[in-house]
Amino acid sequence: MARPRWHQTLALPSGGLGLRWDRFVALWAALNLLWVAFDVTYIPLRTFWLQRNLYPLPSVPLVVPLTFIPDITPWVDPIKGIEPHRETQAYQVHFDRMDGALRQAPPGPQVSPAQQKLLAEQVRLTAEMIDSNPMLASGTSGTLEKIKNRLRQRADKDSAKEAAAVLLSPAWLASHPWEQERLFWRQQVLPLVATTYWRSIDENGRPTDHFWRYDLILFQSVFALDILLRAYRLRRRLPGLSWNRALLRRWIDLPLLLPFWRLLRVVPVLERLHTSGLISIEPLRAVISRGVVALLAVELFEVLALQLIDGLQQLIRSRRWPMRIRALRSHQTVVSNDERELVELVRIWGPLLLVRVAPRLAPELQGVLGHALHQSLQNAIVPPGLRQLQPLLQVEKGISRQLAGGMVDSLLDITRSTGERLSRRDDQQLELLQRFIDRFWEELAEALESGPALERSQQLLSTFLEEFKGNYLSQISRAGIEGLIEELDQLMVKGSQGPGDRTDPTSSRTAPATPGDGSR
C-alpha cells in the first residue's frame, strides 16, 4: 500500500547554486513575513515597545520589566509618521523643570514663589490635559482614564482635577517628601502621558506610512527577480510555453508583490520553505485538505443525490411515462453506427448465462426441483395408509430425484444449445430478438396505459424514493466529517505500516508538486 505523501522524498533542484538561491529567497521571504507582522502590530503594541514592560494580569498592578529589549521607537516612529504630541510633550518638559527646581531646594513649610509658580503651572497643564484629552489623537483614550484613576486614588478625591491640585499643593508637599512624590509621577503618570503621539496625514487623507518603500526596495525587488528566474527555468524546460503562462504558473507568489493584504504572504512563504527543503508542511496541508475535501464531498454528494432522486421522481410521476417506455423501441431511438446495443447485450449475456453459468448450477437446480416434485408426488405414488413403510418412501424420493435430474439435464441441454446459437452471428436471429424486445416495450406501455397499474406504480415508486431520500441522506449527514477523516487516517496508518516496513519501489518517486510550483 502506498505511503502517506508526507513520508515521500521531496524533489529538490539538482544544481547547487539553484538550491542555495531558493533557500536564500525562502529565508528572505520568511524574514519579510516577520517584518510585515511587526509593521501590522506596531501601532497597537507601540506602548509595549516604548515602555518595554509586560503586564501579565491587566487587573493586577504586576509589571515585568523587559529592559534587555532596545528602544526601537526612535527608528520606527518616523517610518510610521509618528511625532510627539505637542501638548503632552510640553507637559513632560514642564514637569522636568519643576522636578529640577524642587530637587535643588526641597520644599518645606515655606515654598519659594518660583516653586509655587511651577506647581501652579503644572496643575494648570494637568487640568488642560484632562479637558482636551490629547490621547484621542493616538486612539488611546483609555490611557487618560488610567491617569485620572491614579490621581484620585493617590489624593483620595472624587475629581481628578482636584486630586492634581492637592498633590501639587505646598501643603501636601510639606507633609509628603518630594522624593516619594516624584516616584509616583515618574512611574505611574508620566509613562502613560508619554504613550500619546500625533500621526501625520498624507495627501490621500490616510495616516503616513513609509513602510512600503522599505518593503519595495529590500524585499519585493528580490521576489520579482526570483519569480522571473522561476519563469525562465520553466520556459527552458517547456520551450513552447509563453511568458504569460509561465508567470501564471507562479500565481501563488502574487501576495509577495501586493502592497495590501500583506499577511497573505504566509502562503507563498510556506510554499517556498517547503519546496526548498527547509521545512515540511505536507502533514499540515494534508490535515487541512482532508477536512475541506470531506466537507465539500459530503455537501456535494448530498446535492447530487438529491437532484438525482428528484429527477427520478419527476420522471416517474410524469403522465408520459408509458410514451417514454414505448420510445425505447428500436425504430423510435437514434442509433449511432447502426449499433443495436440492447440486442448486442442479449447476444453477449445470453451465451454467458446459458452456457457457462447455468451448467454449474445443475446440483442446486436438481435439489430445488427434486424437493418440489417430492412434495407434489407425496400423495400420488404412495397412499397415506402405506406412508409408514420406509422402503416405499425411499422409492418415492428416488423417483423424484430421477425425474428432477432428467428435467434439469434436458433443460440444460436446451439452454446450452440455445446459448451456442445466440453466440453465433445470425442476422435473422438478431432481427427476431429485436422484434421480441420491441414487442416487450410495446406491451408493457399498453398494459400501463389500459389498467390501474400506472397510477399505483407511480405512487409506490415515488413514496419509496421519498423514504429513500430522507433515510439515506440523513445517514450521510450522521456519518459526519469526523468519521470520514478518521477512516482516512486509519487507511494512511495502515499504508505507512506495511509488512516489515519494506522499501516501496515507488517511494523514491518525487512528491506531487505543490500548486503553482512551476519552477521545478
Side-chain angles (χ1 to χ4, degrees):
M1 186 176 292
R3 294 188 176 189
R5 286 188 291 272
W6 56 85
H7 288 180
Q8 297 178 357
T9 305
L10 181 66
L12 297 176
S14 57
L17 182 61
L19 179 60
R20 286 194 294 269
W21 169 258
D22 290 343
R23 289 183 173 177
F24 163 73
V25 175
L27 294 175
W28 196 244
L31 179 62
N32 174 252
L33 183 62
L34 295 176
W35 171 240
V36 167
F38 168 77
D39 175 72
V40 171
T41 60
Y42 178 74
I43 297 297
L45 299 179
R46 183 180 178 274
T47 301
F48 167 77
W49 293 113
L50 179 66
Q51 300 178 353
R52 301 183 301 285
N53 291 331
L54 185 63
Y55 298 90
L57 301 175
S59 59
V60 178
L62 177 62
V63 181
V64 179
L66 304 177
T67 55
F68 61 90
I69 299 178
D71 184 10
I72 60 175
T73 53
W75 291 277
V76 184
D77 282 353
I79 299 176
K80 307 300 290 184
I82 294 177
E83 300 177 4
H85 198 280
R86 295 180 180 178
E87 184 174 348
T88 56
Q89 188 178 24
Y91 186 89
Q92 296 180 74
V93 171
H94 188 273
F95 184 88
D96 292 338
R97 290 174 54 192
M98 182 189 67
D99 181 35
L102 294 178
R103 293 188 69 183
Q104 288 180 0
Q110 297 293 330
V111 180
S112 65
Q115 292 177 341
Q116 290 183 5
K117 184 178 179 180
L118 291 175
L119 290 173
E121 181 66 18
Q122 193 69 29
V123 172
R124 186 188 66 81
L125 292 176
T126 304
E128 288 183 358
M129 182 179 65
I130 294 174
D131 291 335
S132 62
N133 191 7
M135 287 73 177
L136 288 175
S138 57
T140 57
S141 58
T143 303
L144 181 61
E145 295 300 323
K146 294 181 181 179
I147 296 175
K148 292 163 65 175
N149 291 334
R150 292 178 181 181
L151 291 175
R152 295 190 194 104
Q153 293 175 1
R154 183 71 174 179
D156 195 14
K157 295 291 183 179
D158 295 334
S159 173
K161 295 181 181 179
E162 294 180 1
V166 170
L167 294 176
L168 296 175
S169 63
W172 179 273
L173 296 179
S175 60
H176 297 80
W178 174 245
E179 290 297 329
Q180 296 180 2
E181 292 300 308
R182 71 183 298 271
L183 292 179
F184 165 75
W185 289 92
R186 289 286 186 186
Q187 295 178 1
Q188 299 190 33
V189 177
L190 292 182
L192 296 178
V193 175
T195 59
T196 305
Y197 60 87
W198 178 81
R199 193 174 182 186
S200 61
I201 305 298
D202 60 12
E203 297 179 355
N204 297 323
R206 297 180 180 179
T208 303
D209 191 351
H210 302 293
F211 169 81
W212 65 271
R213 298 181 180 178
Y214 298 91
D215 190 33
L216 177 63
I217 297 174
L218 297 178
F219 296 101
Q220 289 186 326
S221 58
V222 177
F223 298 151
L225 176 61
D226 180 68
I227 292 173
L228 291 177
L229 289 177
R230 288 172 179 255
Y232 174 72
R233 289 189 215 169
L234 186 60
R235 291 191 74 248
R236 286 188 59 187
R237 194 176 63 187
L238 303 173
L241 194 65
S242 63
W243 276 102
N244 293 335
R245 293 190 176 183
L247 292 174
L248 285 176
R249 294 285 184 93
R250 297 303 308 173
W251 61 267
I252 199 171
D253 293 329
L254 181 61
L256 295 175
L257 304 179
L258 293 178
F260 47 86
W261 299 340
R262 293 171 298 175
L263 290 179
L264 291 178
R265 296 182 184 182
V266 65
V267 177
V269 168
L270 290 178
E271 185 269 340
R272 287 173 179 270
L273 291 173
H274 176 69
T275 55
S276 61
L278 295 175
I279 64 173
S280 176
I281 62 172
E282 189 61 27
L284 176 62
R285 187 210 60 81
V287 171
I288 297 175
S289 64
R290 282 205 302 270
V292 174
V293 169
L295 177 61
L296 294 179
V298 171
E299 297 291 338
L300 181 61
F301 186 77
E302 287 181 353
V303 172
L304 294 178
L306 188 60
Q307 289 184 348
L308 178 61
I309 297 175
D310 288 342
L312 288 176
Q313 285 182 323
Q314 292 178 2
L315 178 63
I316 292 172
R317 291 170 182 160
S318 175
R319 296 182 179 180
R320 299 172 58 87
W321 195 20
M323 297 181 61
R324 296 180 183 274
I325 295 177
R326 189 177 286 109
L328 295 175
R329 295 175 300 177
S330 60
H331 58 277
Q332 295 289 341
T333 58
V334 179
V335 182
S336 60
N337 298 326
D338 296 331
E339 183 181 1
R340 293 173 285 190
E341 291 86 355
L342 193 55
V343 174
E344 288 295 327
L345 284 175
V346 172
R347 195 180 66 83
I348 293 174
W349 279 81
L352 185 67
L353 296 175
L354 297 178
V355 178
R356 299 185 59 182
V357 178
R360 298 181 181 180
L361 300 178
E364 287 76 11
L365 291 175
Q366 289 178 4
V368 173
L369 188 56
H371 179 72
L373 291 174
H374 175 67
Q375 296 295 327
S376 301
L377 300 177
Q378 258 185 352
N379 299 325
I381 298 180
V382 180
L386 301 178
R387 299 195 62 79
Q388 302 297 329
L389 300 177
Q390 291 296 328
L392 293 178
L393 294 178
Q394 295 295 331
V395 172
E396 182 184 14
K397 292 181 180 179
I399 294 175
S400 299
R401 284 198 300 269
Q402 290 180 0
L403 289 175
M407 293 175 64
V408 169
D409 291 340
S410 301
L411 180 62
L412 291 177
D413 290 339
I414 296 173
T415 57
R416 189 181 294 107
S417 60
T418 303
E420 292 176 354
R421 292 190 183 94
L422 287 175
S423 62
R424 300 170 186 172
R425 196 73 178 183
D426 189 349
D427 294 338
Q428 183 179 2
Q429 176 180 280
L430 294 178
E431 187 67 28
L432 293 174
L433 283 174
Q434 188 65 62
R435 289 181 183 179
F436 167 75
I437 295 172
D438 292 344
R439 185 55 182 259
F440 171 77
W441 296 128
E442 180 69 29
E443 293 297 333
L444 178 61
E446 185 176 354
L448 290 174
E449 288 177 338
S450 59
L454 176 61
E455 184 177 356
R456 183 58 177 165
S457 299
Q458 289 176 332
Q459 181 181 1
L460 292 175
L461 289 175
S462 298
T463 304
F464 169 75
L465 291 176
E466 190 69 27
E467 294 178 355
F468 174 80
K469 179 169 57 178
N471 295 332
Y472 188 64
L473 293 182
S474 63
Q475 290 179 1
I476 293 177
S477 300
R478 285 196 300 267
I481 302 172
E482 295 181 359
L484 295 176
I485 296 178
E486 183 178 357
E487 183 178 358
L488 182 58
D489 289 337
Q490 291 177 357
L491 293 176
M492 285 298 186
V493 170
K494 291 180 181 179
S496 62
Q497 296 176 354
D501 198 17
R502 293 175 298 179
T503 302
D504 190 358
T506 61
S507 62
S508 60
R509 299 178 184 176
T510 58
T514 53
D517 188 12
S519 63
R520 299 178 183 87

